[in-house]
Amino acid sequence: MQPHSPRLHIADIHFWPVNASHRPQAKLRRYSIPSIEKMSTSPDGIYEPGIIDPGFPVKNSTQSFWHSEPSSISKLRSSWVNTADIVIIGSGITGMSLARTLYSKRPQLRIVVVEARDLCWGATGRNGGHCKAMSPGVWHERKQEYGVDEAVRVMEYEHSHLEAMAACVKENGIDCDMRIVEGLDVYHDRKIFQRALDALEDMRKYKPGLASRYTVYTSKHDLSARNLDLDEACVGAIGMPAGAVWPYKFVTGMFQKMVDESGLLIQTNTTVTDVIEEDASDYATVKTDRGTIRAMHVVHATNCWMGHLLHELRPFVSPVRANVQRHIPRPNKLKIDNYSFWLRYGEHEYDYIIQRPDGAFILGRASTGRRATSDDSERDLVAHAHLRGVTPQIFNFGTRTINVTHAWSGSVAFTQDGNPFVGHLPFQNRCHQWVCGGYQGIGMVRAFRSAQMLALLMLGEGIPEDYPRSMLLSEERVQKLKRATGSKL
């Protein structure tokens, strides 16, 4: 084993103290998942009945365009260590942001990132390249669920990700095609458009600054003035600040920097098979197919796969397969790369589109035809047929001749109550474990700063007022989820 630079010993690091009531009092118990007919009834829609064990990431995944230029550390296996301060399971945007924040506050930490496949091979490396908050129409349900103050906090929090990630890219000189664009929700249903307009009007009563982030276009003339030739079925649009990025390059670029400058250890193509905590132990043991690592803190940053290792959360989080394609129009003459588009046919049914600097389009499909599964080795037939055949009939790509160069899938995570899980695990035999994930398919406006929030919790620092408290995982929230699903776990 290669010697490391001097670091703090695990026992010398001050973390947020684990509640003694969570320390295991008996021998480790194994659990089985009962057959329950219900599964997560997320407000964003779930697609099949029953609790789903996501299993482990498959090895024969579909080929994402974002992986077409592999990072030099995509298959990195650092020197193996048997002990660490922190083990992060998962190498997407969550794991990257968490490690970055921890190092910024405790540079002596020994952190190990463990990834079952190549680096950044899950949802972050398979998304649509957007960074855009949800339609303002979600204000209605968030206000009803959380009250005005928390609803405002959640929406401003999501908007804040664009500035935070753009600043990170600039500060660290990451070459990832980060561009600030105008994100347009293009509506094709008058009722849904009016609902969004009503939400903005109501939002303005409580938080004018939040409402001012949005620009309303109520006529085709408004859009034509911005050189946008949208289809006749468009009934209006709402714009907001957004970003387009090569997400894989962003994440792997930051990982490379931490490997070089902070001594971050990365173990790719290494599957975590279990996390064991023995009675009253001072550490957790991370078991992998290549060996074990003892760590004072273990973070589950696996998003749609969290339910496999965390059986306690399995009834409340569902893996859902997303579908994305890369289109090249022929001839390739249209340039609208200063926008991103969400073609909204309903509040939770839409296509999303960005144009790359080379003129190619990345587009994905939400809702119709998706499956509840973590298997990204297959694509959903209806969703991909829609992207190939229907979307070009609705959106002007500059030509009807489209060359589809890449078609892939990736699994995201939907939670029972529509909120991510961020915090310490309030379960027996989990006193050294934390979780950060479950982003409802909009991880680009949730994951980066959620991981920063988790880092503050782990280090025992106060959480700033602008972080939504509804994301925190607690015993009370778990009990509420159990009542909602009928779970007896």
Side-chain angles (χ1 to χ4, degrees), residues 71 73 76 88 90-100 103 111-115 119-120 174 248-266:
S71 165
I73 60 169
L76 178 63
I88 301 172
S91 66
I93 194 169
T94 301
M96 177 275 285
S97 180
L98 177 61
R100 173 177 178 262
Y103 277 135
I111 302 175
V112 181
V113 171
V114 183
E115 170 58 57
L119 199 66
C120 194
I174 305 300
Y248 172 79
K249 287 188 176 182
F250 173 39
V251 169
T252 57
M254 283 303 307
F255 273 132
Q256 176 77 71
K257 189 175 180 69
M258 287 185 282
V259 168
D260 294 341
E261 298 179 3
S262 302
L264 175 67
L265 303 173
I266 296 178

Side-chain angles (χ1 to χ4, degrees), residues 428-464:
Q428 187 179 20
N429 302 310
R430 300 287 192 189
C431 65
H432 295 283
Q433 298 179 57
W434 308 75
V435 67
C436 191
Y439 300 121
Q440 299 306 99
I442 54 170
M444 292 296 281
V445 292
R446 285 188 166 181
F448 188 78
R449 294 198 65 213
S450 292
Q452 293 177 338
M453 180 180 182
L454 182 66
L456 296 178
L457 291 171
M458 294 177 68
L459 297 172
E461 298 189 9
I463 304 174

